[in-house]
Amino acid sequence: MKRLVELVEEEGTDRIERTLSQLLRSAAPFEIDHFRKRRIWVRLERRPNLRPRAGRFWLRPLVIAALLVSGTATAGLGHLYVLHGSGFFGLVGAPSTTSSNVPTTPHAASLTKRAPRDEPARESEPQPALVPPAPVASAAPEPAASAARGVAKNTRSRPESSEDATHVVEAIQALRTERDPARAQALLNGYLKQNPRGALSGDALALSIEAASAQHDPRAAEYARRYLAAYPKGKYRDLAKRALEAQR
Amino acid sequence: MEAIAPAPPLEFRAIYERWFADVSRWIRAMGGPEAEREDLVQDVFLVVHRRLPDFDGQNVAGWLYQIARHRVRDFRRLLWVKHLLFGSVPLSESLSKGGASPADSLETNEKRALLERLLCKLNESERAALVLFEIDGYSGEEIADIQGVPVNTVWARIHKARKKLKASLAIHEHRAQKGP
């Protein structure tokens, strides 16, 4: 029987076989890691009579179950936190605790305690006569502003969850297929502007270095610096360093 | 009739030095992921060390292969439990290589990820036979020797694996053309 990669060189092979052959050719060749070999040997020497992690099969599901329980609890808390915003822990944005100029009538206190959940209901109901309207109105902007600050803070700290990778894919096509580094550069800039900390930011920066270098653009060094600052141990660090050296 | 001379006693160190690379290669062919490969290889040699006094010394490769097969099978069961609990467990290896251009690296990684997904649909013996034959360059006889089966069985496994891969790839391409 011949190997598929050899069969493809012959006539009469179909497209699927050719694709399969390309996939098989792309597989990483096996390389012996001598450092790993030495490391395992040292570990074996240290515990030669030890059974191969007996009970590992049973221990791991236990650990997984524990993680599952704690993960579910964390997810539940997180869900509550998302529902209630930053006022969940009563530290920021809770109207009753932060506003000192709200009158301390019993009814007002009960209203402010339930404030986050009952806000729409309270709006639809007529205001009780006990609460003077002016102080409540003056107190309202502060929680709103702090909630907005909380949302803004959350938005800043949260990574982009629904980013569009189309620009990067098109940039790769522009760079590799159409040989148009200027277009690739523009597309990558668009992606990086929209997703400065996106999942493909590292790849986009590295592609930007490549596109700028192809155009002899001095911005290649700038991209390289940005890449090394963001990913000092990234997989394209050699490329970035080469771009910096070329600039010098 | 001549009596068969007993095989000379094997030394653990010698076995380790001679077979480390092959065991690592087999584990990879069976689908042991890169992140766990070191632990799997270590476990295999721990078993080897324990069972060496009882080994008859006839077919070292086949013996080691069977131990590796059992370790990977246990690992897969564990992975299945994880998959059941967590939904998705990353199975593909980290195949990126430093120094390649970003575009090339992305393309190659995409191909390798697709190959890994297709190979996951094969059973362990078919996958190992196919990978050892197509990627690692083993001959059918060598695979038959280590798997402990007739050569024709190896050819049948490779043939079946190819057919399954082609079918999976055709489905994948059809879906890709239709779009999400």
Side-chain angles (χ1 to χ4, degrees):
Chain A
M1 184 184 271
K2 281 191 174 181
R3 290 187 172 80
L4 202 57
V5 284
E6 296 165 0
L7 276 176
V8 166
E9 305 298 331
E10 297 177 4
E11 287 182 6
T13 53
D14 60 13
R15 190 176 52 80
I16 294 288
E17 277 182 337
R18 281 198 296 275
T19 312
L20 192 56
S21 164
Q22 284 173 358
L23 289 179
L24 289 169
R25 283 180 185 189
S26 75
F30 182 81
E31 290 167 2
I32 301 170
D33 187 345
H34 292 285
F35 183 66
R36 174 183 283 182
K37 185 178 178 181
R38 177 73 193 143
R39 193 167 57 228
I40 294 175
W41 177 253
V42 169
R43 289 203 311 225
L44 286 168
E45 272 187 329
R46 281 181 191 163
R47 46 177 194 174
N49 298 319
L50 204 67
R51 291 173 68 84
R53 283 184 284 178
R56 179 185 172 189
F57 185 77
W58 299 106
L59 186 65
R60 285 201 175 183
L62 282 177
V63 173
I64 290 165
L67 285 173
L68 185 70
V69 170
S70 59
T72 309
T74 310
L77 283 172
H79 182 65
L80 281 176
Y81 180 76
V82 169
L83 278 182
H84 292 273
S86 52
F88 174 61
F89 295 111
L91 299 174
V92 185
S96 62
T97 53
T98 55
S99 57
S100 58
N101 53 351
V102 176
T104 55
T105 61
H107 188 75
S110 68
L111 274 179
T112 49
K113 270 183 186 171
R114 296 184 299 146
R117 267 188 188 275
D118 297 341
E119 197 70 35
R122 197 175 60 171
E123 279 173 9
S124 61
E125 288 171 8
Q127 292 292 321
L130 282 172
V131 182
V136 172
S138 66
E142 193 184 344
S146 62
R149 280 199 299 275
V151 169
K153 192 178 172 185
N154 285 347
T155 311
R156 276 199 301 276
S157 61
R158 195 181 298 146
E160 295 84 351
S161 58
S162 60
E163 60 183 63
D164 185 9
T166 317
H167 284 172
V168 181
V169 175
E170 285 180 4
I172 291 170
Q173 285 173 348
L175 194 61
R176 311 301 294 175
T177 314
E178 299 160 18
R179 307 282 178 198
D180 188 355
R183 183 164 169 268
Q185 186 72 72
L187 287 163
L188 291 166
N189 282 341
Y191 174 82
L192 287 169
K193 197 174 176 184
Q194 284 175 7
N195 311 285
R197 289 188 300 131
L200 294 173
S201 294
D203 296 301
L205 276 172
L207 285 164
S208 298
I209 296 168
E210 196 179 334
S213 300
Q215 300 173 87
H216 304 290
D217 187 337
R219 279 181 297 174
E222 184 194 327
Y223 291 126
R225 270 191 288 274
R226 274 175 66 186
Y227 180 85
L228 288 173
Y231 310 97
K233 292 183 179 176
K235 57 185 174 181
Y236 305 123
R237 62 181 182 278
D238 292 341
L239 176 84
K241 284 175 184 170
R242 280 202 300 274
L244 276 176
E245 282 168 12
Q247 186 67 22
R248 285 170 200 154
Chain B
M1 193 174 179
E2 285 185 24
I4 298 170
L10 293 162
E11 277 191 20
F12 178 65
R13 179 71 193 243
I15 292 176
Y16 183 83
E17 290 296 334
R18 165 66 185 83
W19 295 101
F20 173 86
D22 290 279
V23 168
S24 304
R25 193 177 283 122
W26 297 338
I27 287 174
R28 179 206 194 217
M30 291 170 197
E34 170 67 33
E36 299 286 338
R37 204 175 294 156
E38 191 167 323
D39 283 351
L40 289 169
V41 173
Q42 181 181 332
D43 285 355
V44 168
F45 280 103
L46 280 170
V47 175
V48 169
H49 184 270
R50 204 174 70 239
R51 293 191 185 164
L52 192 58
D54 303 324
F55 178 53
D56 61 5
Q58 294 302 316
N59 181 2
V60 182
W63 182 59
L64 290 172
Y65 184 88
Q66 290 306 321
I67 293 171
R69 192 170 73 86
H70 284 109
R71 289 305 303 147
V72 173
R73 188 195 58 195
D74 287 350
F75 175 77
R76 280 193 164 187
R77 283 179 183 164
L78 186 68
L79 212 60
W80 180 81
V81 173
K82 279 185 187 175
H83 185 78
L84 203 67
L85 293 175
F86 296 111
S88 174
V89 178
L91 295 169
S92 60
E93 300 182 357
S94 172
L95 294 162
S96 60
K97 288 193 158 199
S101 81
D104 286 345
S105 176
L106 277 174
E107 283 174 4
T108 312
N109 281 353
E110 274 177 18
K111 280 183 185 173
R112 286 173 182 174
L114 174 59
L115 180 63
E116 187 63 29
R117 281 204 302 275
L118 297 177
L119 288 174
C120 280
K121 292 175 183 169
L122 305 178
N123 68 39
E124 177 259 309
S125 56
E126 288 170 359
R127 179 192 166 119
L130 183 103
V131 172
L132 289 174
F133 182 70
E134 296 282 3
I135 298 172
D136 290 322
Y138 277 54
S139 69
E141 288 74 15
E142 285 173 321
I143 298 169
D145 198 27
I146 59 170
Q147 288 193 337
V149 293
V151 184
N152 284 340
T153 307
V154 173
W155 297 139
R157 283 175 179 171
I158 293 171
H159 184 69
K160 246 187 197 175
R162 279 183 184 175
K163 272 180 79 174
K164 283 185 185 174
L165 280 184
K166 280 186 207 170
S168 304
L169 187 59
I171 292 167
H172 171 81
E173 289 198 347
H174 179 67
R175 282 183 185 158
Q177 280 170 2
K178 268 177 73 177

